[in-house]
Every structure is written in C-alpha cells, then in structure tokens.
Amino acid sequence: MDANGLQTVLGANGQIATELARALRRRHTDRLRLVSRNPRPVNGDDHLVSANLLDARQTLEAVQGSSIVYFTAGLPPDTALWEAQFPTMLKNALDACRAAGARFAYFDNTYMYPQDSRLQTEATPFAPVGRKGKVRAAMATMVLEEMARGEIPVLIGRAPEFYGPGKTQSFTNALVIEKLQAGEKPRVPVRDDTRRTLIWTPDASRALAALGNAPDAFGQTWHLPCCDDRPTYREFVAMACEVFGREASYAVIGKWTLAAAGLFSKQVREIRELLPRYGQDNLFDSVKFKRRFPGFEVTTYRQGLDLIRQEGAAP
C-alpha cells in the first residue's frame, strides 16, 4: 500500500469510479481524493473535492499533490455535449497532471475501433464510425500524444461494453439484466447469434487500479481483462434467465425497429451509431494484461450474473 502517495479520481460518482475508489483504498493507498462537481464518499475517509473539469484552474487545483490521477469522467450519451466538452475536460486534466508532475491513467472505451468482427488488440487501428466514435478517437490520440511527449508517465486502460452491479450503464444491463429484474422479457439488439465480449465493471476498476500502481505499465495501452468465453446473446440470455429463475425467453429488436424508434426517442438516436457492432462478433483480446498480472482473477459471466441476482435479493 502506497501510504504516502495521494491518488486522485477525476469524474467520481460513476460506476467505474466508485469501484475504482474501493479497489484503490482496499489494496493500494490510504490517501484517496475523489473529484467531480458533486463528489460523494465511497470509503469513509475519502477526501472530496468539488471541481468542474471544464475549468482549467479548478482542475489544476483538484490534482495538486497527487502522485497518480485517474481520468474516469463520463457524460450523458449526447453527441453535441461530447464534442463540446469531453476534449476540453481531458486537455485540462492532462495539462494539470503535467503541471503537478502526476502520473496519468486514462480509462477508455472501444468506440474508436472498427465495428467489425476482427480480434481487437491494443494494436487495432482506429476507424471510428459516427460522431461519438470520432470524439473518443480524438481523445485517445490526445492521450497517446501526451504519452509520446514523455513529460509525465501515461497509460491507457481500455474496456469493451460493460455489464455489472449497481448503476452500471450499458445495452446489456438495460435490455437484459434490468428487464429480468423487473420481471419482463429481455431484449437483444440486432442479432442473437454474434459473440460478445463484455467486461464486469468491478474487474475493469480493479484492473485500472492495478495498472496505475504498476510503474512498468506506463507508456502503454492495456486492454482490461475480460472472461474469454465470449457468449452469443442467445447464450448469455439463457444463462441470465437460469440464474434469475426465469423462462428462457427473449425478443430480438432489429436495427430497422431501432432506427424507427429513433424518430421518436432522442435516447435511441444517440446510440444508433453503435448498432453496427451488434451485427458482428465483438472479440476483445486482453491476454497482454493477463500475462502481466497472472494472479488477477477474472469474473466469469455466471459469477457476475449470480452477484447481480444476490445484490437484488439483499434486504
């Protein structure tokens, strides 16, 4: 445990940040700072700082004294908001870390990858589809340029689609798990026979904490660890129905139905650019991380679903 090094999470309150704060406090540091507009404590002794990452001065003040800074900030799925705010938030964070001499760990997603069935590795070239993908590609490029500049140690931890406990936000949670929890029939986007790679959110956060506290991990991009079973949605829903004690029944929502729904729903319009990936296998490779951290226990899909069911059954 790095008892002297202050570790700071930018963009606290989200599911990844919350699990990250737990993992850092449990294994790596007893000095933890959580930063957001309205931060809430995760551990009893967290240091809370209210800051707007769109404000360079507030961001600089928020990271002063940090040994490691984790960027886990999120925004609602609004394309115009992403374009207007995300790059500025990231630039302010990088500038602040450079000024403070802090290491920088960037939590990333796969929106910038090609939406096809190739195996995704850390070397997969960016080929974004849609405006959100272009924003994430530009942000990842900004971090890679900072990494190449070499003034501060920088790493990227990249995750595919989430599933998980608590307030995990994803297609799979919303359409499958939350439907089962509500006693409703699960829905599957586009196709039920393509193979998916999903990451258990606490695993993603534990892995990012491990990377941030491994000096040799900096200067690199890392795919965060996932179970390699890669079930189809048909298999995943069958497993989920069994775990929740429900009949194995679901409906596939075709892309034309989703496109039509976009005429009436801004929320559906905002996720439409992600739909091509559901027509293809999603094969995300995390062997690099598993070789570097051979003792890291990856949660299986059945274990994850069991934990979600237990969480829902708790008084």
Short mmCIF file of all heavy atoms in Angstrom, two decimals, residues 153-217:
data_model
loop_
_atom_site.label_atom_id
_atom_site.label_comp_id
_atom_site.label_asym_id
_atom_site.label_seq_id
_atom_site.Cartn_x
_atom_site.Cartn_y
_atom_site.Cartn_z
N PRO A 153 4.47 10.14 -16.83
CA PRO A 153 4.08 8.78 -17.17
C PRO A 153 2.57 8.71 -17.45
O PRO A 153 1.76 9.25 -16.69
CB PRO A 153 4.45 7.97 -15.93
CG PRO A 153 5.42 8.83 -15.17
CD PRO A 153 4.99 10.24 -15.44
N VAL A 154 2.19 8.06 -18.55
CA VAL A 154 0.80 7.98 -19.00
C VAL A 154 0.49 6.55 -19.40
O VAL A 154 1.33 5.86 -19.99
CB VAL A 154 0.56 8.92 -20.21
CG1 VAL A 154 -0.83 8.75 -20.79
CG2 VAL A 154 0.78 10.39 -19.81
N LEU A 155 -0.73 6.09 -19.08
CA LEU A 155 -1.19 4.80 -19.60
C LEU A 155 -2.66 4.91 -19.98
O LEU A 155 -3.39 5.79 -19.52
CB LEU A 155 -0.98 3.67 -18.58
CG LEU A 155 -1.78 3.65 -17.28
CD1 LEU A 155 -3.19 3.07 -17.44
CD2 LEU A 155 -1.02 2.83 -16.21
N ILE A 156 -3.08 3.98 -20.84
CA ILE A 156 -4.49 3.85 -21.24
C ILE A 156 -4.97 2.46 -20.83
O ILE A 156 -4.33 1.46 -21.14
CB ILE A 156 -4.67 4.03 -22.76
CG1 ILE A 156 -4.30 5.45 -23.19
CG2 ILE A 156 -6.12 3.70 -23.18
CD1 ILE A 156 -4.31 5.67 -24.70
N GLY A 157 -6.11 2.41 -20.13
CA GLY A 157 -6.79 1.16 -19.84
C GLY A 157 -8.11 1.17 -20.60
O GLY A 157 -8.95 2.03 -20.36
N ARG A 158 -8.28 0.23 -21.53
CA ARG A 158 -9.44 0.26 -22.43
C ARG A 158 -10.36 -0.92 -22.15
O ARG A 158 -9.91 -2.06 -21.99
CB ARG A 158 -8.95 0.26 -23.88
CG ARG A 158 -10.06 0.40 -24.92
CD ARG A 158 -9.47 0.69 -26.30
NE ARG A 158 -8.89 2.03 -26.35
CZ ARG A 158 -7.74 2.33 -26.94
NH1 ARG A 158 -7.04 1.39 -27.56
NH2 ARG A 158 -7.29 3.57 -26.92
N ALA A 159 -11.66 -0.64 -22.14
CA ALA A 159 -12.67 -1.66 -21.82
C ALA A 159 -13.72 -1.74 -22.92
O ALA A 159 -14.10 -0.72 -23.50
CB ALA A 159 -13.35 -1.32 -20.50
N PRO A 160 -14.24 -2.95 -23.19
CA PRO A 160 -15.38 -3.09 -24.10
C PRO A 160 -16.68 -2.79 -23.35
O PRO A 160 -16.65 -2.16 -22.28
CB PRO A 160 -15.30 -4.56 -24.52
CG PRO A 160 -14.76 -5.24 -23.31
CD PRO A 160 -13.80 -4.25 -22.68
N GLU A 161 -17.79 -3.25 -23.86
CA GLU A 161 -19.09 -2.95 -23.24
C GLU A 161 -19.16 -3.53 -21.83
O GLU A 161 -18.69 -4.62 -21.56
CB GLU A 161 -20.24 -3.52 -24.08
CG GLU A 161 -21.60 -3.13 -23.50
CD GLU A 161 -22.79 -3.78 -24.22
OE1 GLU A 161 -22.66 -4.10 -25.41
OE2 GLU A 161 -23.82 -3.95 -23.57
N PHE A 162 -19.78 -2.77 -20.94
CA PHE A 162 -19.93 -3.18 -19.54
C PHE A 162 -21.12 -4.13 -19.36
O PHE A 162 -22.10 -4.11 -20.10
CB PHE A 162 -20.25 -1.98 -18.64
CG PHE A 162 -19.26 -0.86 -18.67
CD1 PHE A 162 -19.69 0.44 -18.40
CD2 PHE A 162 -17.92 -1.07 -18.95
CE1 PHE A 162 -18.79 1.50 -18.40
CE2 PHE A 162 -17.02 -0.01 -18.97
CZ PHE A 162 -17.47 1.27 -18.68
N TYR A 163 -21.04 -4.92 -18.28
CA TYR A 163 -22.22 -5.41 -17.57
C TYR A 163 -21.79 -5.44 -16.11
O TYR A 163 -20.59 -5.51 -15.82
CB TYR A 163 -22.69 -6.78 -18.08
CG TYR A 163 -21.94 -7.96 -17.52
CD1 TYR A 163 -22.51 -8.83 -16.59
CD2 TYR A 163 -20.62 -8.22 -17.92
CE1 TYR A 163 -21.82 -9.92 -16.09
CE2 TYR A 163 -19.92 -9.30 -17.42
CZ TYR A 163 -20.51 -10.15 -16.50
OH TYR A 163 -19.82 -11.22 -16.00
N GLY A 164 -22.74 -5.33 -15.20
CA GLY A 164 -22.29 -5.30 -13.82
C GLY A 164 -23.37 -4.91 -12.84
O GLY A 164 -24.54 -4.75 -13.18
N PRO A 165 -22.96 -4.73 -11.58
CA PRO A 165 -23.89 -4.42 -10.49
C PRO A 165 -24.19 -2.93 -10.42
O PRO A 165 -23.72 -2.14 -11.24
CB PRO A 165 -23.09 -4.86 -9.26
CG PRO A 165 -21.66 -4.55 -9.64
CD PRO A 165 -21.57 -4.83 -11.12
N GLY A 166 -24.96 -2.58 -9.42
CA GLY A 166 -25.20 -1.17 -9.13
C GLY A 166 -25.86 -0.43 -10.28
O GLY A 166 -26.80 -0.91 -10.89
N LYS A 167 -25.29 0.73 -10.59
CA LYS A 167 -25.87 1.59 -11.63
C LYS A 167 -25.10 1.46 -12.95
O LYS A 167 -25.03 2.41 -13.73
CB LYS A 167 -25.86 3.05 -11.16
CG LYS A 167 -26.74 3.31 -9.94
CD LYS A 167 -26.76 4.79 -9.58
CE LYS A 167 -27.73 5.10 -8.46
NZ LYS A 167 -27.32 4.50 -7.17
N THR A 168 -24.56 0.28 -13.21
CA THR A 168 -23.84 0.04 -14.47
C THR A 168 -24.73 0.41 -15.65
O THR A 168 -25.87 -0.06 -15.75
CB THR A 168 -23.41 -1.43 -14.57
OG1 THR A 168 -22.49 -1.72 -13.51
CG2 THR A 168 -22.73 -1.71 -15.91
N GLN A 169 -24.19 1.23 -16.56
CA GLN A 169 -24.96 1.68 -17.72
C GLN A 169 -24.42 1.01 -18.98
O GLN A 169 -23.27 1.21 -19.35
CB GLN A 169 -24.88 3.21 -17.86
CG GLN A 169 -25.55 3.93 -16.70
CD GLN A 169 -25.56 5.44 -16.89
OE1 GLN A 169 -24.75 5.98 -17.63
NE2 GLN A 169 -26.45 6.10 -16.20
N SER A 170 -25.27 0.19 -19.62
CA SER A 170 -24.89 -0.47 -20.87
C SER A 170 -26.13 -1.02 -21.54
O SER A 170 -27.20 -1.15 -20.92
CB SER A 170 -23.91 -1.62 -20.59
OG SER A 170 -24.58 -2.72 -20.01
N PHE A 171 -26.00 -1.33 -22.81
CA PHE A 171 -27.07 -2.01 -23.54
C PHE A 171 -27.48 -3.29 -22.82
O PHE A 171 -28.65 -3.58 -22.62
CB PHE A 171 -26.58 -2.39 -24.95
CG PHE A 171 -26.96 -1.42 -26.04
CD1 PHE A 171 -27.47 -0.16 -25.75
CD2 PHE A 171 -26.81 -1.77 -27.37
CE1 PHE A 171 -27.81 0.72 -26.76
CE2 PHE A 171 -27.14 -0.90 -28.40
CZ PHE A 171 -27.65 0.35 -28.08
N THR A 172 -26.47 -4.08 -22.45
CA THR A 172 -26.74 -5.40 -21.87
C THR A 172 -27.45 -5.28 -20.54
O THR A 172 -28.41 -6.01 -20.26
CB THR A 172 -25.44 -6.19 -21.74
OG1 THR A 172 -24.86 -6.35 -23.04
CG2 THR A 172 -25.68 -7.56 -21.15
N ASN A 173 -27.01 -4.36 -19.69
CA ASN A 173 -27.71 -4.17 -18.41
C ASN A 173 -29.14 -3.72 -18.64
O ASN A 173 -30.08 -4.24 -18.03
CB ASN A 173 -26.96 -3.16 -17.55
CG ASN A 173 -26.08 -3.84 -16.50
OD1 ASN A 173 -25.22 -4.63 -16.84
ND2 ASN A 173 -26.30 -3.53 -15.24
N ALA A 174 -29.31 -2.72 -19.53
CA ALA A 174 -30.64 -2.13 -19.73
C ALA A 174 -31.61 -3.10 -20.39
O ALA A 174 -32.79 -3.19 -20.01
CB ALA A 174 -30.52 -0.86 -20.56
N LEU A 175 -31.14 -3.86 -21.39
CA LEU A 175 -32.04 -4.67 -22.20
C LEU A 175 -32.21 -6.10 -21.69
O LEU A 175 -33.22 -6.74 -21.99
CB LEU A 175 -31.54 -4.72 -23.65
CG LEU A 175 -31.54 -3.38 -24.39
CD1 LEU A 175 -30.94 -3.55 -25.78
CD2 LEU A 175 -32.94 -2.80 -24.49
N VAL A 176 -31.23 -6.60 -20.94
CA VAL A 176 -31.31 -7.98 -20.47
C VAL A 176 -31.48 -8.02 -18.95
O VAL A 176 -32.50 -8.49 -18.43
CB VAL A 176 -30.05 -8.78 -20.90
CG1 VAL A 176 -30.11 -10.21 -20.33
CG2 VAL A 176 -29.93 -8.81 -22.41
N ILE A 177 -30.50 -7.52 -18.22
CA ILE A 177 -30.48 -7.70 -16.77
C ILE A 177 -31.60 -6.93 -16.08
O ILE A 177 -32.34 -7.48 -15.25
CB ILE A 177 -29.10 -7.31 -16.21
CG1 ILE A 177 -28.05 -8.31 -16.74
CG2 ILE A 177 -29.11 -7.28 -14.69
CD1 ILE A 177 -26.61 -7.89 -16.54
N GLU A 178 -31.75 -5.65 -16.43
CA GLU A 178 -32.80 -4.86 -15.77
C GLU A 178 -34.20 -5.33 -16.16
O GLU A 178 -35.13 -5.23 -15.36
CB GLU A 178 -32.60 -3.38 -16.10
CG GLU A 178 -31.36 -2.79 -15.42
CD GLU A 178 -31.00 -1.39 -15.92
OE1 GLU A 178 -31.88 -0.72 -16.52
OE2 GLU A 178 -29.84 -0.98 -15.72
N LYS A 179 -34.35 -5.86 -17.37
CA LYS A 179 -35.65 -6.44 -17.76
C LYS A 179 -35.96 -7.65 -16.89
O LYS A 179 -37.09 -7.81 -16.39
CB LYS A 179 -35.63 -6.86 -19.24
CG LYS A 179 -35.53 -5.71 -20.22
CD LYS A 179 -36.80 -4.90 -20.28
CE LYS A 179 -36.73 -3.85 -21.38
NZ LYS A 179 -37.88 -2.91 -21.33
N LEU A 180 -34.98 -8.54 -16.68
CA LEU A 180 -35.20 -9.70 -15.83
C LEU A 180 -35.50 -9.28 -14.39
O LEU A 180 -36.38 -9.85 -13.73
CB LEU A 180 -33.97 -10.61 -15.87
CG LEU A 180 -33.80 -11.45 -17.15
CD1 LEU A 180 -32.43 -12.12 -17.16
CD2 LEU A 180 -34.91 -12.49 -17.26
N GLN A 181 -34.79 -8.29 -13.91
CA GLN A 181 -35.03 -7.81 -12.54
C GLN A 181 -36.44 -7.26 -12.38
O GLN A 181 -37.03 -7.34 -11.30
CB GLN A 181 -34.00 -6.74 -12.16
CG GLN A 181 -32.59 -7.30 -11.96
CD GLN A 181 -31.56 -6.21 -11.75
OE1 GLN A 181 -31.61 -5.16 -12.39
NE2 GLN A 181 -30.59 -6.45 -10.87
N ALA A 182 -36.98 -6.71 -13.48
CA ALA A 182 -38.34 -6.14 -13.44
C ALA A 182 -39.41 -7.17 -13.80
O ALA A 182 -40.59 -6.83 -13.88
CB ALA A 182 -38.42 -4.96 -14.40
N GLY A 183 -38.99 -8.43 -14.02
CA GLY A 183 -39.95 -9.46 -14.38
C GLY A 183 -40.43 -9.37 -15.82
O GLY A 183 -41.50 -9.88 -16.16
N GLU A 184 -39.65 -8.70 -16.66
CA GLU A 184 -40.05 -8.52 -18.06
C GLU A 184 -39.19 -9.38 -18.97
O GLU A 184 -38.15 -9.92 -18.57
CB GLU A 184 -39.91 -7.04 -18.46
CG GLU A 184 -40.79 -6.11 -17.63
CD GLU A 184 -40.49 -4.64 -17.91
OE1 GLU A 184 -39.73 -4.36 -18.87
OE2 GLU A 184 -40.99 -3.78 -17.15
N LYS A 185 -39.60 -9.50 -20.23
CA LYS A 185 -38.86 -10.29 -21.21
C LYS A 185 -37.62 -9.52 -21.67
O LYS A 185 -37.73 -8.35 -22.05
CB LYS A 185 -39.76 -10.60 -22.42
CG LYS A 185 -39.07 -11.45 -23.48
CD LYS A 185 -39.95 -11.64 -24.71
CE LYS A 185 -41.10 -12.58 -24.41
NZ LYS A 185 -41.78 -12.99 -25.68
N PRO A 186 -36.45 -10.17 -21.65
CA PRO A 186 -35.24 -9.49 -22.14
C PRO A 186 -35.34 -9.15 -23.62
O PRO A 186 -36.06 -9.79 -24.38
CB PRO A 186 -34.13 -10.52 -21.90
CG PRO A 186 -34.67 -11.45 -20.87
CD PRO A 186 -36.15 -11.49 -21.10
N ARG A 187 -34.58 -8.13 -24.01
CA ARG A 187 -34.48 -7.72 -25.40
C ARG A 187 -33.03 -7.85 -25.84
O ARG A 187 -32.12 -7.61 -25.06
CB ARG A 187 -34.94 -6.26 -25.57
CG ARG A 187 -36.36 -5.99 -25.11
CD ARG A 187 -37.36 -6.52 -26.12
NE ARG A 187 -38.72 -6.10 -25.81
CZ ARG A 187 -39.59 -6.82 -25.11
NH1 ARG A 187 -39.22 -7.98 -24.61
NH2 ARG A 187 -40.82 -6.38 -24.91
N VAL A 188 -32.81 -8.20 -27.09
CA VAL A 188 -31.48 -8.33 -27.65
C VAL A 188 -31.37 -7.41 -28.85
O VAL A 188 -32.23 -7.46 -29.74
CB VAL A 188 -31.21 -9.80 -28.08
CG1 VAL A 188 -29.94 -9.90 -28.91
CG2 VAL A 188 -31.11 -10.69 -26.84
N PRO A 189 -30.34 -6.54 -28.91
CA PRO A 189 -30.21 -5.63 -30.05
C PRO A 189 -29.64 -6.31 -31.30
O PRO A 189 -28.61 -6.97 -31.24
CB PRO A 189 -29.25 -4.55 -29.53
CG PRO A 189 -28.46 -5.24 -28.48
CD PRO A 189 -29.34 -6.30 -27.88
N VAL A 190 -30.35 -6.21 -32.40
CA VAL A 190 -29.91 -6.55 -33.76
C VAL A 190 -29.85 -8.05 -34.05
O VAL A 190 -30.57 -8.55 -34.90
CB VAL A 190 -28.57 -5.88 -34.13
CG1 VAL A 190 -28.22 -6.13 -35.59
CG2 VAL A 190 -28.64 -4.37 -33.86
N ARG A 191 -28.98 -8.80 -33.34
CA ARG A 191 -28.83 -10.24 -33.59
C ARG A 191 -28.53 -10.97 -32.29
O ARG A 191 -27.89 -10.42 -31.39
CB ARG A 191 -27.70 -10.52 -34.59
CG ARG A 191 -28.01 -10.11 -36.01
CD ARG A 191 -26.82 -10.27 -36.93
NE ARG A 191 -26.38 -11.68 -37.02
CZ ARG A 191 -25.58 -12.12 -37.99
NH1 ARG A 191 -25.15 -11.29 -38.93
NH2 ARG A 191 -25.20 -13.38 -38.02
N ASP A 192 -28.95 -12.24 -32.23
CA ASP A 192 -28.69 -13.03 -31.02
C ASP A 192 -27.60 -14.07 -31.23
O ASP A 192 -27.29 -14.84 -30.32
CB ASP A 192 -29.97 -13.72 -30.53
CG ASP A 192 -30.51 -14.76 -31.51
OD1 ASP A 192 -29.96 -14.88 -32.63
OD2 ASP A 192 -31.48 -15.45 -31.16
N ASP A 193 -26.98 -14.10 -32.43
CA ASP A 193 -26.01 -15.16 -32.72
C ASP A 193 -24.58 -14.64 -32.89
O ASP A 193 -23.69 -15.38 -33.29
CB ASP A 193 -26.42 -15.94 -33.97
CG ASP A 193 -26.49 -15.05 -35.22
OD1 ASP A 193 -26.47 -13.81 -35.08
OD2 ASP A 193 -26.58 -15.61 -36.33
N THR A 194 -24.36 -13.37 -32.59
CA THR A 194 -22.98 -12.84 -32.64
C THR A 194 -22.36 -12.95 -31.25
O THR A 194 -23.03 -12.80 -30.23
CB THR A 194 -22.97 -11.37 -33.10
OG1 THR A 194 -23.84 -10.60 -32.26
CG2 THR A 194 -23.42 -11.25 -34.55
N ARG A 195 -21.06 -13.22 -31.22
CA ARG A 195 -20.36 -13.42 -29.96
C ARG A 195 -19.98 -12.06 -29.35
O ARG A 195 -19.56 -11.15 -30.06
CB ARG A 195 -19.11 -14.28 -30.18
CG ARG A 195 -19.44 -15.68 -30.69
CD ARG A 195 -18.21 -16.40 -31.17
NE ARG A 195 -17.29 -16.69 -30.08
CZ ARG A 195 -16.00 -16.93 -30.25
NH1 ARG A 195 -15.46 -16.85 -31.46
NH2 ARG A 195 -15.24 -17.20 -29.22
N ARG A 196 -20.19 -11.94 -28.05
CA ARG A 196 -19.95 -10.68 -27.36
C ARG A 196 -18.79 -10.82 -26.37
O ARG A 196 -18.63 -11.86 -25.75
CB ARG A 196 -21.17 -10.21 -26.54
CG ARG A 196 -22.54 -10.37 -27.16
CD ARG A 196 -22.69 -9.79 -28.54
NE ARG A 196 -22.25 -8.41 -28.69
CZ ARG A 196 -21.87 -7.91 -29.86
NH1 ARG A 196 -21.87 -8.64 -30.95
NH2 ARG A 196 -21.49 -6.66 -29.94
N THR A 197 -18.02 -9.75 -26.22
CA THR A 197 -17.08 -9.64 -25.10
C THR A 197 -17.59 -8.52 -24.21
O THR A 197 -17.66 -7.37 -24.62
CB THR A 197 -15.65 -9.29 -25.56
OG1 THR A 197 -15.25 -10.20 -26.59
CG2 THR A 197 -14.68 -9.41 -24.40
N LEU A 198 -17.96 -8.88 -22.99
CA LEU A 198 -18.43 -7.91 -22.01
C LEU A 198 -17.46 -7.91 -20.83
O LEU A 198 -16.87 -8.93 -20.50
CB LEU A 198 -19.83 -8.29 -21.50
CG LEU A 198 -20.92 -8.49 -22.55
CD1 LEU A 198 -22.18 -9.05 -21.91
CD2 LEU A 198 -21.22 -7.20 -23.28
N ILE A 199 -17.30 -6.75 -20.21
CA ILE A 199 -16.41 -6.67 -19.03
C ILE A 199 -17.24 -6.40 -17.79
O ILE A 199 -18.17 -5.58 -17.80
CB ILE A 199 -15.32 -5.59 -19.23
CG1 ILE A 199 -14.23 -5.73 -18.16
CG2 ILE A 199 -15.90 -4.17 -19.24
CD1 ILE A 199 -12.95 -4.97 -18.47
N TRP A 200 -16.95 -7.15 -16.73
CA TRP A 200 -17.59 -6.98 -15.42
C TRP A 200 -17.03 -5.70 -14.81
O TRP A 200 -15.81 -5.55 -14.66
CB TRP A 200 -17.28 -8.21 -14.58
CG TRP A 200 -17.75 -8.22 -13.16
CD1 TRP A 200 -16.97 -8.20 -12.04
CD2 TRP A 200 -19.11 -8.29 -12.69
NE1 TRP A 200 -17.75 -8.24 -10.91
CE2 TRP A 200 -19.06 -8.29 -11.28
CE3 TRP A 200 -20.34 -8.33 -13.33
CZ2 TRP A 200 -20.21 -8.36 -10.49
CZ3 TRP A 200 -21.48 -8.39 -12.55
CH2 TRP A 200 -21.42 -8.41 -11.15
N THR A 201 -17.88 -4.71 -14.51
CA THR A 201 -17.36 -3.39 -14.14
C THR A 201 -16.40 -3.41 -12.94
O THR A 201 -15.38 -2.71 -12.99
CB THR A 201 -18.51 -2.37 -13.90
OG1 THR A 201 -19.51 -2.96 -13.07
CG2 THR A 201 -19.13 -1.94 -15.21
N PRO A 202 -16.64 -4.20 -11.88
CA PRO A 202 -15.63 -4.21 -10.81
C PRO A 202 -14.28 -4.74 -11.28
O PRO A 202 -13.23 -4.29 -10.79
CB PRO A 202 -16.26 -5.12 -9.75
CG PRO A 202 -17.74 -5.02 -9.99
CD PRO A 202 -17.87 -4.92 -11.48
N ASP A 203 -14.27 -5.67 -12.24
CA ASP A 203 -12.99 -6.14 -12.80
C ASP A 203 -12.27 -5.01 -13.52
O ASP A 203 -11.04 -4.85 -13.40
CB ASP A 203 -13.22 -7.29 -13.80
CG ASP A 203 -13.53 -8.62 -13.13
OD1 ASP A 203 -13.56 -8.68 -11.88
OD2 ASP A 203 -13.75 -9.61 -13.87
N ALA A 204 -13.01 -4.22 -14.30
CA ALA A 204 -12.40 -3.10 -15.03
C ALA A 204 -11.75 -2.12 -14.05
O ALA A 204 -10.62 -1.66 -14.27
CB ALA A 204 -13.46 -2.39 -15.87
N SER A 205 -12.43 -1.83 -12.96
CA SER A 205 -11.92 -0.87 -11.99
C SER A 205 -10.72 -1.44 -11.22
O SER A 205 -9.71 -0.74 -11.01
CB SER A 205 -13.03 -0.47 -11.02
OG SER A 205 -14.09 0.16 -11.70
N ARG A 206 -10.80 -2.70 -10.81
CA ARG A 206 -9.67 -3.33 -10.11
C ARG A 206 -8.44 -3.36 -11.00
O ARG A 206 -7.31 -3.14 -10.55
CB ARG A 206 -10.03 -4.77 -9.69
CG ARG A 206 -10.93 -4.89 -8.50
CD ARG A 206 -10.96 -6.33 -7.97
NE ARG A 206 -11.38 -7.31 -8.96
CZ ARG A 206 -10.65 -8.35 -9.35
NH1 ARG A 206 -9.43 -8.55 -8.86
NH2 ARG A 206 -11.13 -9.21 -10.25
N ALA A 207 -8.68 -3.64 -12.29
CA ALA A 207 -7.56 -3.72 -13.24
C ALA A 207 -6.92 -2.35 -13.44
O ALA A 207 -5.69 -2.23 -13.54
CB ALA A 207 -8.05 -4.29 -14.56
N LEU A 208 -7.74 -1.30 -13.54
CA LEU A 208 -7.19 0.05 -13.70
C LEU A 208 -6.38 0.44 -12.48
O LEU A 208 -5.31 1.06 -12.60
CB LEU A 208 -8.33 1.05 -13.94
CG LEU A 208 -7.89 2.46 -14.35
CD1 LEU A 208 -7.22 2.45 -15.72
CD2 LEU A 208 -9.11 3.41 -14.38
N ALA A 209 -6.85 0.07 -11.29
CA ALA A 209 -6.10 0.34 -10.06
C ALA A 209 -4.76 -0.40 -10.07
O ALA A 209 -3.73 0.16 -9.69
CB ALA A 209 -6.92 -0.08 -8.84
N ALA A 210 -4.78 -1.64 -10.54
CA ALA A 210 -3.53 -2.43 -10.60
C ALA A 210 -2.54 -1.78 -11.57
O ALA A 210 -1.34 -1.67 -11.28
CB ALA A 210 -3.84 -3.86 -11.02
N LEU A 211 -3.02 -1.34 -12.73
CA LEU A 211 -2.15 -0.69 -13.71
C LEU A 211 -1.57 0.61 -13.15
O LEU A 211 -0.36 0.88 -13.29
CB LEU A 211 -2.93 -0.39 -14.99
CG LEU A 211 -3.30 -1.60 -15.86
CD1 LEU A 211 -4.31 -1.20 -16.94
CD2 LEU A 211 -2.05 -2.21 -16.50
N GLY A 212 -2.42 1.42 -12.53
CA GLY A 212 -1.95 2.69 -12.01
C GLY A 212 -0.87 2.56 -10.96
O GLY A 212 -0.06 3.47 -10.76
N ASN A 213 -0.83 1.40 -10.30
CA ASN A 213 0.14 1.17 -9.24
C ASN A 213 1.27 0.23 -9.68
O ASN A 213 2.01 -0.29 -8.83
CB ASN A 213 -0.56 0.64 -7.99
CG ASN A 213 -1.34 1.75 -7.29
OD1 ASN A 213 -0.78 2.50 -6.50
ND2 ASN A 213 -2.62 1.87 -7.60
N ALA A 214 1.39 0.02 -11.00
CA ALA A 214 2.48 -0.78 -11.56
C ALA A 214 3.34 0.14 -12.42
O ALA A 214 2.96 0.49 -13.54
CB ALA A 214 1.93 -1.93 -12.40
N PRO A 215 4.48 0.61 -11.92
CA PRO A 215 5.29 1.59 -12.67
C PRO A 215 5.62 1.15 -14.10
O PRO A 215 5.68 1.99 -15.00
CB PRO A 215 6.56 1.72 -11.81
CG PRO A 215 6.10 1.41 -10.42
CD PRO A 215 5.05 0.34 -10.57
N ASP A 216 5.78 -0.16 -14.33
CA ASP A 216 6.15 -0.62 -15.67
C ASP A 216 4.97 -0.63 -16.64
O ASP A 216 5.14 -0.88 -17.83
CB ASP A 216 6.76 -2.02 -15.60
CG ASP A 216 5.77 -3.06 -15.10
OD1 ASP A 216 5.08 -2.80 -14.11
OD2 ASP A 216 5.69 -4.16 -15.70
N ALA A 217 3.75 -0.34 -16.14
CA ALA A 217 2.57 -0.34 -17.01
C ALA A 217 2.44 0.96 -17.79
O ALA A 217 1.72 1.01 -18.80
CB ALA A 217 1.31 -0.56 -16.18
#
